[in-house]
Every structure is written in structure tokens, then in C-alpha cells.
């Protein structure tokens, strides 16, 4: 299914590999004419529901490059890293926490090692590789199932024994090393080599460092949130699974500030998990593919009180989509220490000063976009004819309506269709298509997820002034007067 989605995205202009004409650059993507619309609609829906329609949340757009001290205080400079391992033979690099190895044991004796990269079928792959090794060395006796261990837990004496996933040969893997994921850059006149600036690896810190600006300049009162949509950059060691893990991506983050106290946050945390799940379903994600991963104590950052990820069953496995973390007052405290400026809030009701705690729902636009593609992708048969379609929720569909004159060589029919198009495109993003048989035009629209088609035919101009409204998913058609059409679309396309 992933191959079909990637193929459709390229063919129809949703997503392209970045710099493709120069051979591409791994971990970067360009959004084409349809992709940019889909992405914008997702962001607009989030902003409307998160900011515009709530009285307790305000927006922000902070700079991508911030004072280097921001990343020192937040802990990113020292701790925002993944363990990596290099294969000296192939020059390939892996995330050490995604590389697994196991001993191959025949009749109770270790005859060698196998290695696999983390995925849903890794146990199978490891057992197959073990069988192959047994055959190769001609070992006799029972082969035990391979017990997989993550490379970061390997004993140093084992590094030379574990085969590289690239070559299948042992001896070329390095020990795991921590690799900071932040992209460095230089800002004039910072000339000191230690004064690197960084592309932000998350949008959240921009919110924390503006906490005082926002509370001083607006009339927000606890509990309240600050929301931001923007690009983030991480030099991921192994970008993969199409746009799921890339090096440049976009986040939609909201910091919801609440009073301190261990009896306060659980209620808000629960509410935000529910809000996020409902919101995903409201824009068309399949509810049956959404899961939940509640982090155990061992998986939490030291300052974090709880974290629940909403997950999504992508074709390549169940993965994190939206993290809803309880971050305590860690970030504001760190920035207060680092800047020497008070980031306390005065609670008028309680007549006390404190550093607020925070709940952080943080999600990637690109991951939601991929989940909408997976949810919407479908194939069916209409009157014995196969079609492939994207059942996008109308709120996020790139085009809402296609206007189709039945034939293009009839002046009166074309001008009626133009009139309808002009009226509708003032309200919604519409597509005008007069080329080819109307059935083919419907299928083209189905394939890119346009929920409604309006066809203007001979009856429209010669008989009843009515047009045909066709629904993408059911392929049913109704004839409506123009007034009825505009009213119906208004009801269907206002969110
Ligand atoms: P992961 O464990 O997948 O690396 P994370 O836990 O580091 O993700 P956060 O730092 O919590 O992610 O970022 C918040 C959200 O940003 C994630 O839930 C995800 O939707 C998105 N995100 C993070 N890294 C990437 C990436 N490399 N590409 C696309 N989206 C990302």
C-alpha cells in the first residue's frame, strides 16, 4: 500500500522527493500543487479549532533561529541526540536503537550472530538469517529461536562479532556514539566557533521563551495555551518511511499552562488526549487505525510526569503520531535560570506567584498528512469499472468542487459552467475541467479526492437550468437548481 501511495503522490502532484532533478536529497520533500493545498487545509483546520474557536488559546509565530543559549537552557545542546552506528565497509549509518542483533545458537552452542533493522517482520528475518547461517557453516542439531537485543545494549566485545546489515559481514560496525540532531549554522557576527546557532529542532521552545511577552501583552489567564505552527529541523540519522521521518518537517504544538500541583494536571492531560483523538477523527483519520501508547515510568524524560502518544497504524507499523506530554514546569524554570529573567506568573485568584506547569500536545503536520492519505486511500468498482480514490474529508480535500461542462464546443454551456465556477471559487477551492469524457473526468477527481463534481449539460441550458451534483464516495448524482446547489454545498462545506 505504501508504494501505491508514494506513486500516487508523485503522479498526481502531492509530494516529490526534494531536489529530484539533482538526484534527490534524503530526508527532504517538496509538496506539489495538491500537496500544498492538503497541507494548508490541515494546518488551517488545526488553527481554527485550536486557536480561533477557543477563548483560552492564543497563537504565536517565533523565529526558526534563536539565541544559542535557548538550546543550552532547554537541554537540547547536551541531550538532543540519538545513538548512531557506522558501517565502515559500506559507509552506511544506522540508528543504534533501531539495529537489533542476536546470537545464532545450534544445539546449545553459539555459531555466530545475525542483525536486522527494526520493523514489524524483524523476528522473522532474524530467524531466516539464522537458518541460512546454520546451513552455511554446516552445523548439526536444533536451532534455537533468535533472541533479538538492541545494539545499544551489546557488550563492547560483541561489536566486532555482529554483522553489518549492509554487507552481512562482521567487523565493520563501530560502537554506538551519540549524535546531536540539531542542524548547525552561523550567524554573523558570531565568529567564535563555539557560538553556533541552530535551526530549531522543535517549535515548543519558541513558545516558552515568549511566555512573558504573551502574558504581559495579552489578557490571558491561567489555564491558557499558546499555539504555534512552524518548521522544525532534525538531522535524523535514518530518515525513512516517506514523509513519516524527515529532516525538515512542520510541527503544530500547543503549550497549555496550568497551575502547579499533582492533583491539577491529570484532568487536563486526559482532556487533551481526548481532544486530539477527536480532532484527528474529525478531519478524516480512520478511528480504527488510531491507537494509544501510554509511556511507562522508564520511558519518561526525568522532568516529565506523564506522556501519552496517540499512535497510527501506518502500513509500515504502528507509530507515534501525536505526543501529549505533561512537562511540569521544567522548560520555564530552565529558561528562567538561563536568562536570569523571572518567568513567574501571578495568580490573581490565589494571590500567589508561581511558575506554571504545562501540558504539551505536539504533532507533526507531515505525519498527519500521511495518516490522512492512508485513511483516504481506497479502490472500488462502480458499474463494473475499477477506480482508485482518495476519500478525503471535505474539510481537508485539496479541491472541494470540480465544475465540468459536458462538452467544450458549445458556447452557451461553457459560459454557464464558467458562471458556476466563478461563483463557487470565490468560496471554495474549485477545479474547472472541460477535457475528455465526463466519466474520465469524474475518475480523475476521485483519484485526487475532490468530494463533489458539478456537471453542466444540455438540459441545463435547454430545459431546466438544473445541474448535476455528484458525490465522490457513493458516486450518486442529484439534479439541483443553482440556488439549491449553492445552498447544499454551503451546508456540506462549512466547517
Ligand atoms: P520520534 O520518537 O518519532 O522521533 P519524538 O518523540 O522525538 O518523535 P517529538 O519531539 O515529541 O517527537 O515531536 C513531536 C511530534 O513531531 C511527533 O509526534 C511527530 O509527529 C513530529 N515529528 C518528530 N520528528 C519528526 C520527523 N523527523 N519527521 C516528521 N515528523 C516528526
Amino acid at each position: 500500500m505504501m508504494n501505491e501511495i508514494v506513486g500516487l503522490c508523485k503522479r498526481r502532484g502531492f509530494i516529490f522527493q526534494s531536489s529530484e532533478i539533482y538526484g534527490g536529497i534524503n530526508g527532504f520533500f517538496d509538496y506539489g500543487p495538491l500537496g500544498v493545498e492538503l497541507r494548508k487545509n490541515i494546518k488551517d483546520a488545526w488553527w481554527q479549532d485550536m486557536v480561533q474557536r477557543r477563548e483560552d488559546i492564543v497563537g504565536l509565530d517565533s523565529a526558526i533561529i534563536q539565541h544559542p543559549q535557548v538550546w543550552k537552557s532547554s537541554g537540547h545542546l547536551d541531550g538532543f541526540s540519538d545513538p548512531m552506528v557506522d558501517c565502515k565497509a559500506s559507509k552506511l549509518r544506522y540508528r543504534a536503537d533501531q539495529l537489533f542483533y542476536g546470537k545464532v545458537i545450534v544445539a546449545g552452542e553459539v555459531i555466530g550472530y545475525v542483525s536486522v533493522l527494526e520493523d514489524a517482520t524483524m523476528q522473522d528475518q532474524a530467524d531466516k538469517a539464522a537458518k541460512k547461517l546454520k546451513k552455511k557453516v554446516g552445523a548439526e542439531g536444533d536451532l534455537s529461536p533468535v533472541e533479538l537485543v538492541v545494539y545499544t545494549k551489546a557488550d563492547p566485545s560483541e561489536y566486532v562479532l555482529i554483522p553489518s546489515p549492509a554487507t552481512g559481514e562482521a567487523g565493520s560496525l563501530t560502537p554506538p556514539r551519540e549524535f546531536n540532531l540539531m542542524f548547525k549554522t552561523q550567524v554573523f557576527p558570531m565568529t567564535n566557533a563555539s557560538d553556533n546557532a541552530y535551526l530549531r529542532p522543535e517549535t515548543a521552545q519558541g513558545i516558552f521563551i515568549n511566555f512573558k511577552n504573551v502574558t504581559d501583552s495579552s489578557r490571558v489567564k491561567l489555564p491558557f495555551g499558546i499555539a504555534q505552527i512552524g518548521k522544525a529541523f532534525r538531522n535524523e540519522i535514518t530518515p525513512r518511511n516517506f514523509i513519516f521521518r524527515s529532516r525538515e518537517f512542520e510541527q503544530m504544538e500547543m503549550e497549555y499552562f496550568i497551575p502547579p500541583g499533582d492533583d491539577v494536571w491529570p484532568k487536563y492531560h486526559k482532556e487533551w488526549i481526548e481532544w486530539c483523538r477527536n480532532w484527528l477523527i474529525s478531519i478524516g483519520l480512520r478511528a480504527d487505525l488510531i491507537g494509544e501508547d501510554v509511556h511507562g515510568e522508564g520511558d519518561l524524560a526525568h522532568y516529565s510526569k506523564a506522556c501519552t502518544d496517540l499512535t497510527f497504524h501506518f502500513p509500515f507499523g504502528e507509530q507515534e503520531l501525536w505526543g501529549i506530554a505533561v512537562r511540569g514546569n521544567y522548560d520555564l524554570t530552565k529558561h528562567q535560570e538561563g536568562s536570569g529573567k523571572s518567568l513567574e506568573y501571578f495568580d490573581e485568584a490565589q494571590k500567589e506567584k508561581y511558575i506554571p506547569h504545562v501540558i504539551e500536545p505536539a504533532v507533526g503536520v507531515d505525519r498527519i498528512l500521511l495518516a490522512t492519505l492512508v485513511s483516504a486511500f481506497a479502490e472500488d468498482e462502480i458499474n463494473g469499472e475499477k477506480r482508485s480514490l482518495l476519500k478525503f474529508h471535505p474539510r481537508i480535500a485539496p479541491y472541494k468542487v470540480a465544475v465540468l461542462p459536458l462538452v467544450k464546443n458549445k458556447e452557451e454551456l461553457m459560459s454557464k459552467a464558467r458562471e458556476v465556477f466563478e461563483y463557487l471559487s470565490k468560496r471554495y477551492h474549485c477545479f474547472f475541467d472541460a477535457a475528455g469524457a465526463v466519466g474520465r473526468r469524474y475518475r480523475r477527481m476521485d483519484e485526487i479526492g475532490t468530494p463533489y463534481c458539478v456537471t453542466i449539460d444540455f438540459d441545463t441550458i435547454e430545459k431546466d437550468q438544473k445541474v448535476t451534483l455528484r458525490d465522490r464516495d457513493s458516486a450518486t448524482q442529484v439534479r439541483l437548481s443553482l440556488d439549491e446547489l449553492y445552498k447544499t454545498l454551503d451546508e456540506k462545506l462549512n466547517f
Side-chain angles (χ1 to χ4, degrees):
M1 185 185 185
M2 263 322 274
N3 285 345
E4 283 155 317
I5 289 179
V6 175
L8 176 74
C9 282
K10 179 167 158 63
R11 204 168 60 246
R12 290 288 174 240
F14 282 91
I15 303 166
F16 310 118
Q17 177 66 58
S18 183
S19 319
E20 200 182 319
I21 61 165
Y22 288 104
I25 171 165
N26 200 7
F28 297 89
F29 293 91
D30 296 339
Y31 285 79
L34 294 181
V36 68
E37 297 293 337
L38 178 60
R39 195 180 160 90
K40 180 176 179 304
N41 293 341
I42 292 170
K43 290 190 282 181
D44 286 351
W46 189 88
W47 195 262
Q48 278 163 2
D49 292 340
M50 185 64 95
V51 181
Q52 188 183 320
R53 294 178 182 165
R54 293 187 65 116
E55 287 177 63
D56 57 344
I57 299 182
V58 293
L60 180 83
D61 188 5
S62 67
I64 286 174
I65 294 180
Q66 294 159 1
H67 194 289
Q69 186 63 39
V70 171
W71 308 111
K72 181 94 195 127
S73 300
S74 68
H76 283 81
L77 208 48
D78 298 326
F80 193 62
S81 56
D82 278 335
M84 70 173 180
V85 43
D86 285 316
C87 165
K88 287 180 282 186
S90 66
K91 305 277 178 259
L92 287 176
R93 178 167 280 185
Y94 303 97
R95 268 216 4 219
D97 57 344
Q98 293 172 347
L99 174 61
F100 287 75
Y101 72 95
K103 292 177 182 156
V104 180
I105 301 173
V106 176
E109 279 207 29
V110 179
I111 62 156
Y113 282 73
V114 290
S115 69
V116 284
L117 292 173
E118 183 178 24
D119 80 7
T121 63
M122 65 180 180
Q123 186 64 48
D124 256 18
Q125 294 177 41
D127 287 330
K128 272 196 196 124
K131 220 185 238 171
K132 224 166 138 191
L133 185 70
K134 179 186 169 201
K135 207 164 158 200
K136 191 172 153 200
V137 302
E140 299 281 337
D142 281 348
L143 174 67
S144 316
V146 178
E147 267 185 45
L148 288 174
V149 181
V150 63
Y151 192 75
T152 48
K153 297 261 164 70
D155 186 85
S157 64
E158 292 181 305
Y159 298 145
V160 291
L161 303 173
I162 299 170
S164 155
T167 62
E169 301 294 327
S172 66
L173 293 181
T174 62
R177 274 185 297 144
E178 286 299 318
F179 173 75
N180 195 300
L181 302 183
M182 286 200 292
F183 281 98
K184 275 185 200 149
T185 186
Q186 295 258 299
V187 178
F188 183 79
M190 289 178 187
T191 44
N192 192 330
S194 64
D195 278 348
N196 283 308
Y198 300 89
L199 303 189
R200 66 179 173 201
E202 61 171 36
T203 57
Q205 297 307 321
I207 297 179
F208 294 121
I209 59 171
N210 278 291
F211 175 76
K212 196 95 188 97
N213 284 335
V214 174
T215 49
D216 285 352
S217 61
S218 57
R219 292 169 52 204
V220 287
K221 284 209 167 54
L222 240 58
F224 73 91
I226 306 178
Q228 167 157 237
I229 300 179
K231 288 267 178 150
F233 303 81
R234 296 182 187 179
N235 202 359
E236 298 279 0
I237 296 165
T238 47
R240 59 180 180 161
N241 294 329
F242 196 32
I243 54 170
F244 175 81
R245 183 176 303 289
S246 46
R247 290 181 166 135
E248 174 176 341
F249 55 101
E250 200 154 14
Q251 290 186 313
M252 304 194 287
E253 296 196 292
M254 195 276 295
E255 304 298 331
Y256 199 71
F257 298 98
I258 55 173
D262 269 345
D263 51 338
V264 180
W265 63 264
K267 163 175 121 60
Y268 291 110
H269 191 217
K270 196 160 164 264
E271 277 172 18
W272 278 111
I273 297 167
E274 269 325 288
W275 190 96
C276 296
R277 176 196 295 280
N278 291 337
W279 189 81
L280 290 173
I281 296 168
S282 82
I283 61 154
L285 262 70
R286 271 176 51 187
D288 60 316
L289 298 182
I290 300 174
E292 215 172 276
D293 176 18
V294 180
H295 292 212
E297 294 227 339
D299 292 337
L300 292 174
H302 64 95
Y303 50 82
S304 182
K305 292 181 188 283
C307 184
T308 296
D309 291 340
L310 291 178
T311 59
F312 189 79
H313 286 267
F314 289 99
F316 43 84
E318 183 179 358
Q319 301 281 348
E320 170 180 339
L321 181 61
W322 201 331
I324 300 117
V326 184
R327 296 179 66 90
N329 62 3
Y330 175 80
D331 303 272
L332 287 180
T333 305
K334 285 285 163 193
H335 288 302
Q336 174 166 293
E337 279 168 25
S339 66
K341 307 262 160 44
S342 165
L343 297 181
E344 282 180 319
Y345 170 85
F346 181 66
D347 186 326
E348 277 171 29
Q350 302 297 323
K351 298 274 177 271
E352 59 173 333
K353 259 188 178 176
Y354 52 73
I355 297 187
H357 285 222
V358 76
I359 312 274
E360 176 191 83
V363 68
V365 178
D366 313 80
R367 284 193 188 174
I368 293 189
L369 193 143
L370 186 56
T372 64
L373 284 166
V374 172
S375 297
F377 188 79
E379 279 166 334
D380 66 7
E381 253 183 57
I382 297 281
N383 303 330
E385 224 188 297
K386 276 211 161 108
R387 66 169 182 164
S388 114
L389 69 161
L390 286 171
K391 294 183 172 182
F392 286 135
H393 189 285
R395 190 173 186 191
I396 60 161
Y399 291 109
K400 313 295 182 206
V401 188
V403 178
L404 317 174
L406 189 64
V407 292
K408 64 174 168 196
N409 51 9
K410 177 105 180 146
E411 175 94 32
E412 215 184 321
L413 206 147
M414 279 293 268
S415 72
K416 190 77 195 164
R418 278 270 155 219
E419 178 194 319
V420 173
F421 177 74
E422 266 154 39
Y423 179 91
L424 289 176
S425 52
K426 281 195 187 126
R427 288 153 182 83
Y428 325 106
H429 195 208
C430 298
F431 192 81
F432 190 87
D433 189 3
V438 78
R440 276 199 33 221
R441 281 183 266 163
Y442 283 150
R443 282 193 297 285
R444 278 205 293 261
M445 285 300 122
D446 292 340
E447 201 184 14
I448 62 168
T450 307
Y452 302 107
C453 289
V454 177
T455 307
I456 289 85
D457 58 21
F458 290 104
D459 280 356
T460 314
I461 47 169
E462 288 165 5
K463 252 169 76 185
D464 55 8
Q465 293 290 312
K466 287 189 172 178
V467 296
T468 304
L469 176 66
R470 175 186 179 269
D471 174 85
R472 175 195 62 205
D473 298 346
S474 62
T476 51
Q477 306 187 3
V478 283
R479 277 189 82 74
L480 302 170
S481 70
L482 284 186
D483 279 351
E484 285 165 339
L485 173 77
Y486 298 152
K487 194 163 162 276
T488 307
L489 288 178
D490 193 44
E491 278 160 14
K492 289 182 185 292
L493 294 173
N494 258 323
F495 303 100

